[in-house]
């Protein structure tokens, strides 16, 4: 790792350092072999880290694609700036879930859980999309894994399904479920934010964290006293998500005035 990148990497959290080193490997590989590097699907925090590190190199560029406008999970291509950049191939495919809709309901967590149970790695799966009625579902995937995924996933929960290839031009639009909320926080501790966001007791929030039910920026966090920052995403199993969007000083009683986005399950 160059001195410049090494200095930048110190600004990321300790649990993010393995990914920082992975990005450095990609950067060196793209430079040394003078070729493009295609990543697997990256979560938004990984996309941010990759973008920051590549933007501090003079000779490389990075492009992202998740198969749909506003996608959360996206693949990236690192490429030398002088390299031909027309028709970048992100190797993304789209599968639609066919199932008997009259008597069955599918859920995001059940679909993802069934795929994980089938031995499919999370980083070959992009966004899981649905329509307004939650009766039509699609999965964005790594094209090279399409046939394997179709063979392995024949049930979601107790529902028999078929995964049918679709043209990406027919992808469902990404639905934004975030709701903006104003919260007064006594601190930016993880347990405090979870407690305020989901109207839980501090002890209840702490228990969820200690039972590994909580992720921050898609990484498991077991310490209730972790300090959060703007744009951090907190995922709490069976409760939803919180994202800190704005910190606006203190109230007269010394509380932190914040704007947060919340998805409640």
């Amino acid at each position: 790792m160059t001195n410049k990148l090494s200095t930048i990497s110190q600004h990321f959290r300790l649990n993010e350092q393995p990914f920082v080193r992975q990005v450095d490997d990609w950067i060196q590989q793209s430079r040394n072999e003078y070729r493009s590097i295609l990543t697997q699907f990256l979560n938004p925090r990984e996309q941010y880290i990759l973008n920051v590190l590549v933007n501090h190199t003079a000779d490389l560029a990075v492009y992202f694609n998740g198969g749909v406008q506003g996608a959360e999970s996206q693949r990236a291509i690192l490429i030398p700036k002088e390299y031909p950049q027309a028709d970048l191939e992100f190797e993304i495919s789209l599968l639609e879930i066919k199932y008997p809709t009259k008597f069955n309901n599918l859920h995001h967590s059940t679909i993802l859980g069934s795929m994980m149970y089938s031995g499919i790695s999370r980083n070959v799966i992009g966004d899981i999309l649905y329509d307004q009625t939650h009766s039509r579902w699609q999965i964005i995937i790594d094209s090279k894994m399409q046939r394997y995924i179709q063979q392995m996933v024949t049930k979601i929960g107790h529902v028999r399904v078929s995964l049918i290839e679709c043209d990406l031009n027919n992808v469902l639009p990404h639905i934004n479920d975030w709701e903006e909320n104003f919260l007064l926080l006594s601190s930016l501790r993880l347990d405090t934010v979870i407690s305020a966001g989901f109207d839980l007791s501090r002890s209840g929030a702490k228990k969820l964290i200690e039972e590994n039910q909580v992720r921050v920026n898609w990484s498991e966090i077991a310490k209730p006293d972790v300090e959060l920052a703007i744009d951090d995403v907190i995922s709490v199993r069976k409760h939803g998500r919180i994202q800190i969007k704005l910190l606006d000083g203190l109230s007269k009683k010394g509380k932190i005035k914040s704007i947060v986005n919340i998805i409640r399950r």
Side-chain angles (χ1 to χ4, degrees):
M1 186 178 293
T2 66
N3 290 337
K4 190 174 183 180
L5 290 184
S6 180
T7 301
I8 297 167
S9 73
Q10 295 174 17
H11 295 283
F12 299 114
R13 293 185 171 113
L14 183 62
N15 66 331
E16 294 172 333
Q17 293 305 313
F19 182 71
V20 170
R21 290 191 290 273
Q22 173 66 81
V23 171
D24 182 60
D25 288 343
W26 288 333
I27 289 172
Q28 299 308 319
Q29 189 176 6
S30 183
R31 280 175 167 168
N32 295 339
E33 300 176 14
Y34 193 70
R35 68 178 181 88
S36 62
I37 302 292
L38 174 63
T39 74
Q40 295 286 17
F41 285 97
L42 306 176
N43 64 49
R45 180 63 177 175
E46 291 170 332
Q47 294 166 39
Y48 171 75
I49 294 171
L50 174 58
N51 205 37
V52 167
L53 295 178
V54 172
N55 284 341
H56 279 82
T57 66
D59 52 344
L60 297 180
V62 61
Y63 299 90
F64 296 92
N65 191 323
V68 63
Q69 184 70 31
E72 179 177 277
S73 297
Q74 299 194 37
R75 301 190 79 172
I77 291 180
L78 288 75
I79 193 169
K81 287 183 176 178
E82 297 179 357
Y83 197 89
Q85 297 168 14
D87 301 322
L88 295 177
E89 181 52 63
F90 288 87
E91 299 182 14
I92 291 173
S93 294
L94 179 67
L95 298 176
E96 181 145 352
I97 304 174
K98 297 298 183 181
Y99 68 103
T101 59
K102 188 173 182 179
F103 303 108
N104 299 286
N105 295 312
L106 299 183
H107 302 279
H108 186 286
S109 57
T110 311
I111 295 169
L112 184 59
S114 295
M115 297 184 79
M116 299 295 98
Y117 183 77
S118 298
I120 299 165
S121 175
R122 181 66 183 91
N123 63 12
V124 302
I125 306 167
D127 282 18
I128 297 173
L129 306 168
Y130 50 87
D131 64 3
Q132 294 287 352
T133 65
H134 286 70
S135 61
R136 187 179 172 199
W137 294 83
Q138 294 177 342
I139 311 169
I140 296 173
I141 61 165
D142 179 341
S143 296
K144 291 181 178 178
M145 295 296 295
Q146 177 180 320
R147 185 167 297 179
Y148 178 78
I149 291 172
Q150 288 175 302
Q151 291 174 346
M152 294 300 296
V153 181
T154 57
K155 289 182 70 175
I156 294 176
H158 299 293
V159 182
R160 291 209 165 271
V161 302
S162 297
L163 302 184
I164 307 301
E165 181 182 6
C166 296
D167 192 297
L168 270 171
N169 291 324
N170 297 322
V171 67
L172 291 170
H174 183 273
I175 296 177
N176 187 351
D177 289 333
W178 292 106
E179 294 181 0
E180 189 174 273
N181 292 256
F182 174 76
L183 294 180
L184 289 172
L185 303 169
S186 59
S187 76
L188 291 176
R189 280 175 51 120
L190 179 58
D191 55 353
T192 299
V193 175
I194 291 173
S195 173
F198 294 122
D199 196 23
L200 302 171
S201 66
R202 278 279 296 277
S203 61
K206 184 178 180 181
K207 184 178 179 181
L208 287 169
I209 297 165
E210 292 173 343
E211 291 178 348
N212 297 320
Q213 304 296 302
V214 174
R215 290 176 177 264
V216 175
N217 298 328
W218 296 269
S219 296
E220 278 191 6
I221 297 292
K223 296 182 179 180
D225 60 350
V226 166
E227 289 285 321
L228 299 172
I230 291 174
D231 285 337
D232 279 346
V233 176
I234 305 101
S235 303
V236 184
R237 190 171 299 172
K238 296 184 179 179
H239 287 79
R241 287 183 175 182
I242 302 171
Q243 183 180 35
I244 300 173
K245 295 305 297 179
L246 176 68
L247 301 176
D248 191 27
L250 301 177
S251 69
K252 292 180 179 179
K253 295 185 178 181
K255 299 275 190 176
I256 301 169
K257 295 186 289 184
S258 68
I259 301 294
V260 302
N261 288 334
I262 300 179
I263 296 175
R264 293 182 174 88
R265 300 299 185 194

